[in-house]
């Protein structure tokens, strides 16, 4: 991750490099925040925002935590004012009373974030600031409440309408390719040659969402293999000696890796839009493609098996994986598995299970090497999404349901 850290540091230094003709404001960051909230001038506001972002970036974790706690408390709502303005609105609903209530109900820290973002190029810095808040504020009720302000604003700023889909190829700028290597979270890219094998052949594609305010930072990307038939092994899909096919010979598009790139955009969802748009674009450009599937990991399968006291043999794993995906639930009634929640929520169905599909150390540790295909039927994803959203219905093929029904759930002492 040193490469990624160096990249982010370089970007931060370029973006917030202080005008050498303007002396740095040496006041503590907390004082600069209060000054920013009290200024009405655009030029002075930009200068203060620049000093705050630069100053924050130089803080150690202890100082960052102090900063977050100061903002969370000093710029929180006043419950009494919220109650009194709501009472006034209930007695006399009007533009004035509604405005008073809305102003009281919005923490001043939201306006702080907006004012910081008025500095050109500041959005990326705020995304990194939220990443620090998520990392340092976990378990702290005040800071987790503060994070909701970031999340509320980011949901608007990173709305699908603002995102730009760009293909990533071997000819893409080197600084973008370096970030693809660094951000790959599913199947590690071990070298530039490995990256080249994923991007250069005619039967490989990669697409990423970018935001206009962060043009050099991919937000999320998906790697796609064009194949004949549905694959059941990621090692086979990525083999060095595999024989590439012409894109027009492929009948299947396989989404084999989807990676979120920005920790500061956690819970801001645009992965569903990415897959659907890529599938639609590929379908329009390559009429030979008839099937759109994933080859996905099952990251919590072994954890769930351990929690259930199960110690299955290798040949029992596909059936148990099917049972797990269809029946293991989280407290909200959705599937326990996060990847399943993602794809089923997008309108996919559980299509097939494969033993020994990922024989890497990571694949064995997560799921005993079992992987799953989620099928995206472009004509039915809307219908499937609605059923999942309203009733948590897990759509699956008859073969997967039959496999799950035959799962051996007996514990070792019961056999």
């Amino acid at each position: 991750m040193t490469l990624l850290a160096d990249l982010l540091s370089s970007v931060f230094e370029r973006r917030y490099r202080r005008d050498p003709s303007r002396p740095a404001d040496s006041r503590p960051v907390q004082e600069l925040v209060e000054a920013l909230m009290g200024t009405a001038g655009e030029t002075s506001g930009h200068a203060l925002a620049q000093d705050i972002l630069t100053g924050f970036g130089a803080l150690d974790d202890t100082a960052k935590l102090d900063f977050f706690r100061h903002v969370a408390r000093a710029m929180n709502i006043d419950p009494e004012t919220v109650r009194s303005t709501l009472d006034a609105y209930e007695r006399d609903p009007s533009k004035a009373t509604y405005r008073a209530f809305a102003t009281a109900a919005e923490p001043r820290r939201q306006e702080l974030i907006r004012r910081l973002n008025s500095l050109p190029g500041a959005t990326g810095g705020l995304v990194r600031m939220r990443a620090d808040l998520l990392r340092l504020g976990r378990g702290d009720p005040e800071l987790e409440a503060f994070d909701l302000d970031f999340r509320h604003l980011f949901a608007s700023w990173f709305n699908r309408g603002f995102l730009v889909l760009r293909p990533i190829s071997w000819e893409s700028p080197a600084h973008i390719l370096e970030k693809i290597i660094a951000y790959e979270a599913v199947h590690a890219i071990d070298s530039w040659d490995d990256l080249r094998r994923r991007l250069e052949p005619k039967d490989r594609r990669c697409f990423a969402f970018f935001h206009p305010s962060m043009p050099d930072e991919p937000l999320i990307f998906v790697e796609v293999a064009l194949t004949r038939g549905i694959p059941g092994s990621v090692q086979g899909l990525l083999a060095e000696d595999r024989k590439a096919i012409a894109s027009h010979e492929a009948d299947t598009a396989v989404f084999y890796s989807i990676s979120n790139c920005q920790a500061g955009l956690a819970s801001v969802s645009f992965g569903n839009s990415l897959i659907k748009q890529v599938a639609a674009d590929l379908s329009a450009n390559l009429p030979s493609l008839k099937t759109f599937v994933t080859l996905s990991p099952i990251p919590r399968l072994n954890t769930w098996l351990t929690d259930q006291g199960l110690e299955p043999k290798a040949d029992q794993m596909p059936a148990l994986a099917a049972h797990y995906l269809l029946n293991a639930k989280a407290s909200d009634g959705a599937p326990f598995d996060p990847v399943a929640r993602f794809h089923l929520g997008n309108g996919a169905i559980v299509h097939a299970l494969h033993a020994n599909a990922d024989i890497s150390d990571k694949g064995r540790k997560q799921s005993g090497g079992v992987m799953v295909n989620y099928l995206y039927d472009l004509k039915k994803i809307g219908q499937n999404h609605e059923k999942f959203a309203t009733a948590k219905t897990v759509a699956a093929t008859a073969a997967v349901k039959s496999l799950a029904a035959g799962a051996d759930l007996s514990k070792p002492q019961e056999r």
Side-chain angles (χ1 to χ4, degrees), residues 19-41:
D19 181 350
S21 66
R22 182 176 67 83
D25 194 321
S26 60
R27 287 178 290 175
V29 176
Q30 285 88 333
E31 290 187 22
L32 295 177
V33 164
E34 295 302 330
L36 175 61
M37 296 301 289
T39 187

Side-chain angles (χ1 to χ4, degrees), residues 21-178:
S21 66
R22 182 176 67 83
D25 194 321
S26 60
R27 287 178 290 175
V29 176
Q30 285 88 333
E31 290 187 22
L32 295 177
V33 164
E34 295 302 330
L36 175 61
M37 296 301 289
T39 187
E42 181 177 339
T43 301
S44 59
H46 284 181
L48 285 165
Q50 182 182 63
D51 286 334
I52 291 167
L53 289 169
T54 304
F56 177 84
L59 299 177
D60 61 21
D61 280 354
T62 300
K64 286 180 178 178
L65 194 54
D66 288 341
F67 169 81
F68 287 139
R69 284 176 174 155
H70 168 77
V71 173
R73 294 167 183 169
M75 296 187 171
N76 200 359
I77 60 172
D78 175 36
E80 182 56 40
T81 303
V82 174
R83 280 190 289 268
S84 63
T85 54
L86 178 58
D87 289 342
Y89 177 71
E90 286 182 325
R91 288 192 303 268
D92 178 26
S94 67
K95 180 179 178 180
T97 56
Y98 178 74
R99 179 188 288 123
F101 167 68
T103 300
E106 179 183 285
R108 291 177 65 233
R109 56 203 183 206
Q110 285 193 19
E111 179 60 19
L112 168 64
I113 298 169
R114 290 192 194 95
R115 291 194 180 200
L116 290 173
N117 197 50
S118 67
L119 177 68
T123 305
L126 290 170
V127 170
R128 291 187 288 277
M129 182 182 287
R130 183 183 181 233
D132 285 329
L133 177 59
L134 290 170
R135 178 173 58 87
L136 298 172
R138 189 173 293 112
D140 185 314
E142 287 185 315
L143 297 187
E144 289 180 343
F146 179 17
D147 176 61
L148 291 178
D149 297 311
F150 270 104
R151 186 171 171 179
H152 169 71
L153 294 171
F154 283 3
S156 296
W157 298 352
F158 290 89
N159 180 281
R160 173 63 190 91
F162 294 111
L163 304 183
V164 178
L165 182 69
R166 285 161 49 184
I168 306 296
S169 71
W170 185 241
E171 286 71 39
S172 295
H175 69 277
I176 297 293
L177 298 182
E178 287 174 331

Side-chain angles (χ1 to χ4, degrees), residues 53-377:
L53 289 169
T54 304
F56 177 84
L59 299 177
D60 61 21
D61 280 354
T62 300
K64 286 180 178 178
L65 194 54
D66 288 341
F67 169 81
F68 287 139
R69 284 176 174 155
H70 168 77
V71 173
R73 294 167 183 169
M75 296 187 171
N76 200 359
I77 60 172
D78 175 36
E80 182 56 40
T81 303
V82 174
R83 280 190 289 268
S84 63
T85 54
L86 178 58
D87 289 342
Y89 177 71
E90 286 182 325
R91 288 192 303 268
D92 178 26
S94 67
K95 180 179 178 180
T97 56
Y98 178 74
R99 179 188 288 123
F101 167 68
T103 300
E106 179 183 285
R108 291 177 65 233
R109 56 203 183 206
Q110 285 193 19
E111 179 60 19
L112 168 64
I113 298 169
R114 290 192 194 95
R115 291 194 180 200
L116 290 173
N117 197 50
S118 67
L119 177 68
T123 305
L126 290 170
V127 170
R128 291 187 288 277
M129 182 182 287
R130 183 183 181 233
D132 285 329
L133 177 59
L134 290 170
R135 178 173 58 87
L136 298 172
R138 189 173 293 112
D140 185 314
E142 287 185 315
L143 297 187
E144 289 180 343
F146 179 17
D147 176 61
L148 291 178
D149 297 311
F150 270 104
R151 186 171 171 179
H152 169 71
L153 294 171
F154 283 3
S156 296
W157 298 352
F158 290 89
N159 180 281
R160 173 63 190 91
F162 294 111
L163 304 183
V164 178
L165 182 69
R166 285 161 49 184
I168 306 296
S169 71
W170 185 241
E171 286 71 39
S172 295
H175 69 277
I176 297 293
L177 298 182
E178 287 174 331
K179 290 175 182 177
I180 296 298
I181 293 174
Y183 288 133
E184 166 59 62
V186 183
H187 304 293
I189 300 174
D190 299 324
S191 64
W192 283 95
D193 285 339
D194 190 5
L195 178 66
R196 185 171 189 161
R197 287 192 294 272
R198 300 193 193 194
L199 297 181
E200 188 176 48
K202 299 298 184 183
D203 59 355
R204 292 294 184 265
R205 299 288 191 276
C206 181
F207 299 88
F209 270 150
F210 290 81
H211 191 279
S213 294
M214 301 170 63
D216 295 326
E217 281 289 336
L219 307 181
I220 186 173
F221 65 89
V222 60
E223 297 170 69
V224 186
L226 305 180
T227 65
R228 285 192 290 260
I230 298 176
S233 166
V234 72
Q235 276 75 35
L237 206 63
L238 300 177
E240 292 184 28
D241 59 353
R242 74 172 189 86
K243 185 177 180 180
I245 64 173
S247 57
H248 68 269
E249 297 176 359
D251 59 19
T252 303
V254 185
F255 305 101
Y256 66 89
S257 181
I258 303 166
S259 297
N260 286 293
C261 306
Q262 308 296 326
L265 291 176
S267 302
V268 180
S269 178
F270 28 68
N272 56 346
S273 298
L274 175 64
I275 291 178
K276 292 172 185 175
Q277 182 166 340
V278 168
D281 289 356
L282 288 173
S283 178
N285 293 324
L286 294 171
S288 63
L289 295 177
K290 305 301 180 185
T291 305
F292 298 86
V293 297
T294 74
L295 183 58
S296 297
I298 312 175
R300 295 186 182 175
L301 175 58
N302 277 351
T303 299
W304 180 81
L305 291 172
T306 299
D307 290 344
Q308 301 300 309
L310 300 175
E311 298 176 9
K313 298 177 181 178
D315 62 355
Q316 297 173 312
M317 288 298 289
L320 286 168
H323 172 84
Y324 164 77
L325 293 173
L326 270 57
N327 300 300
K329 305 295 183 182
S331 58
D332 62 355
F336 182 73
D337 190 81
V339 177
R341 287 199 300 271
F342 174 77
H343 289 296
L344 293 168
N346 290 348
I349 71 169
V350 185
H351 180 73
L353 279 299
H354 302 280
N356 299 314
D358 183 358
I359 57 175
S360 68
D361 290 342
K362 181 179 179 181
R364 295 288 191 194
K365 183 178 180 181
Q366 289 185 147
S367 60
V370 180
M371 298 187 78
V372 56
N373 299 126
Y374 294 100
L375 175 69
Y376 281 82
D377 184 334

